[in-house]
Amino acid sequence: MHQIEEKWEEIKEYIMTEYSLNPVSYKTWILPLKFQEIKDNTVYILIPTENSQTLKYLDTKYKKVFQVAIAEMFNESFDVQFVLDNNREENDEFTDLTENINYKNANLNPKYKFETFVIGSNNKIAHSAALAVAESPGEIYNPLYIYGGAGLGKTHLMHSIGHFTLESKPDTKVIYVTSEDFTNDVIESIRSGNQSTISKMRDKYRTADVLMVDDIQFIIGKDATQEEFFNTFNTLHLAGKQIILSSDKPPKELETLDERFKSRFGMGLIVDIQAPDYETRMAILRQLAENNSKKIDDEIIKYIAENVKSNIRELEGAFNQIINISRIVNTDHITLETAENALKNIVNHNQNELITPDVILNAVCEEYGVSTEDIRSTRRNQEIVTPRHVFMYLCRQIIDMTYEDIAKFLMKKDHTTVIHGYRKVKEDIMKDPEYAARINLIKNKINPQN
């Protein structure tokens, strides 16, 4: 027996001491490792899991550590190779430890990953920013501030960041929390009157590598919570740790929020998610249909996409409503009539009748300070062209007008100019978050429910 095998446990303890590993990292990554054999001047170390991602992580993070430790302890140099154990039934402690420590404490929804997020023009910038943060937490866009209405995918993106981070760097401390849960933790720690409880609460959040707080707007008016979060934010940001926040509004529109928060929230990147356009709604519904055992005709999907426009949550709710009704009536083939009956309490067929091209035109003119005559004119200066294009875009988005009908309304002979205007606004929304926010503001003024 070689001394390395004989003193294997001592080697691991030596690594913990010399490299100042915290107890969690040691118990998660080092303690479960087993000596396998020495062959051709290489020490083979057994990893009790079949997870190749774990192998990759250990090889990157701890291979050199073991090489140096062995050389220092035995005055002899060896290469080190990690080997996956194919017998998981007998050696699953490593997997259990990893899942319990990382994923359970992170508080992540297993369904919310980048792979299940449908990308559209309404969320492309937010998705790209979230992926960049997940790939390099703490190095870019810190903090990342995502805002938008309820049910548009903010939470989905935040959980996706958490999953991606843990899959690529499993020992990262990731925490997802709602502002309500954060507030409750602060209240309980104060109520206890115990300094150790307060310290434990602070240690939970201030030692995170990635902290995600959902619906941050709800800390407004809660003095103790605001102060605690302010100090937590400063501690993490100074340490180069990643912070991701979500809200229903951009920081500048959170009127009663302290300026010190507004300035800090704007230190990184602010992105918004808008209501999904028709193409994105169709893509989301088709993804839902693919994962369902019942056959869903495309006309059903189109019917939902055309009538449920406010957010993804309601879109999924409408889809599930149709599926549930079809199960109640015990039918395998869902007809359009079945869908219409299932959604009769959800779909308001009179909703779009209240919004006319004139309503949209007046809203755009008010926002840009131009007249309706200007929009309908042949003038080509930028002050007129921009709101004209916005009007074209909103007519398509809000009331699904055809390009030809928009051209007729504007007294244009050729509808290709409308196509160009629509695409121009769509492209600019994807490039410029501030411009996107302005368009979204106009949409909300025209129809707050959509």
Side-chain angles (χ1 to χ4, degrees), residues 58-125:
L58 284 168
D59 197 57
T60 302
K61 182 91 174 179
Y62 290 109
K63 179 176 180 176
K64 191 70 175 178
V65 170
F66 272 94
Q67 287 175 331
V68 173
I70 290 170
E72 289 178 348
M73 286 183 67
F74 302 100
N75 199 27
E76 190 176 356
S77 295
F78 288 89
D79 191 14
V80 167
Q81 292 293 325
F82 292 104
V83 181
L84 294 174
D85 192 341
N86 294 321
N87 190 356
R88 293 183 65 189
E89 291 183 357
E90 296 179 10
N91 298 289
D92 60 358
E93 59 176 327
F94 191 94
T95 304
D96 290 342
L97 273 170
T98 305
E99 290 177 354
N100 289 340
I101 291 171
N102 294 319
Y103 282 92
K104 186 176 180 180
N105 290 346
N107 194 29
L108 300 176
N109 186 324
K111 295 180 181 179
Y112 290 163
K113 295 187 176 183
F114 283 120
E115 293 85 347
T116 58
F117 188 85
V118 177
I119 306 169
S121 61
N122 62 307
N123 58 30
K124 187 174 182 180
I125 295 174

Side-chain angles (χ1 to χ4, degrees), residues 121-123 147-148 152 272-276 393 429 436-437 439-440 443:
S121 61
N122 62 307
N123 58 30
Y147 74 92
L152 295 181
D272 79 318
I273 300 180
Q274 302 174 39
Y393 173 83
I429 284 173
I439 301 301
N440 203 37
K443 286 174 68 176

Side-chain angles (χ1 to χ4, degrees), residues 170-225:
D171 70 339
T172 304
K173 184 178 178 181
V174 174
I175 296 178
Y176 165 85
V177 65
T178 64
S179 63
E180 182 181 4
D181 289 336
F182 183 85
T183 300
N184 289 338
D185 281 351
V186 173
I187 292 171
E188 287 303 314
S189 67
I190 294 173
R191 184 180 295 167
S192 71
N194 188 324
Q195 187 58 44
S196 65
T197 304
I198 295 174
S199 297
K200 185 177 180 181
M201 181 273 297
R202 288 175 177 169
D203 184 67
K204 172 184 175 180
Y205 292 109
R206 298 185 190 184
T207 59
D209 296 304
V210 178
L211 176 63
M212 300 178 283
V213 183
D214 215 346
D215 290 323
I216 194 66
Q217 72 271 16
F218 291 126
I219 71 168
I220 296 175
K222 300 168 183 173
D223 293 342
T225 302

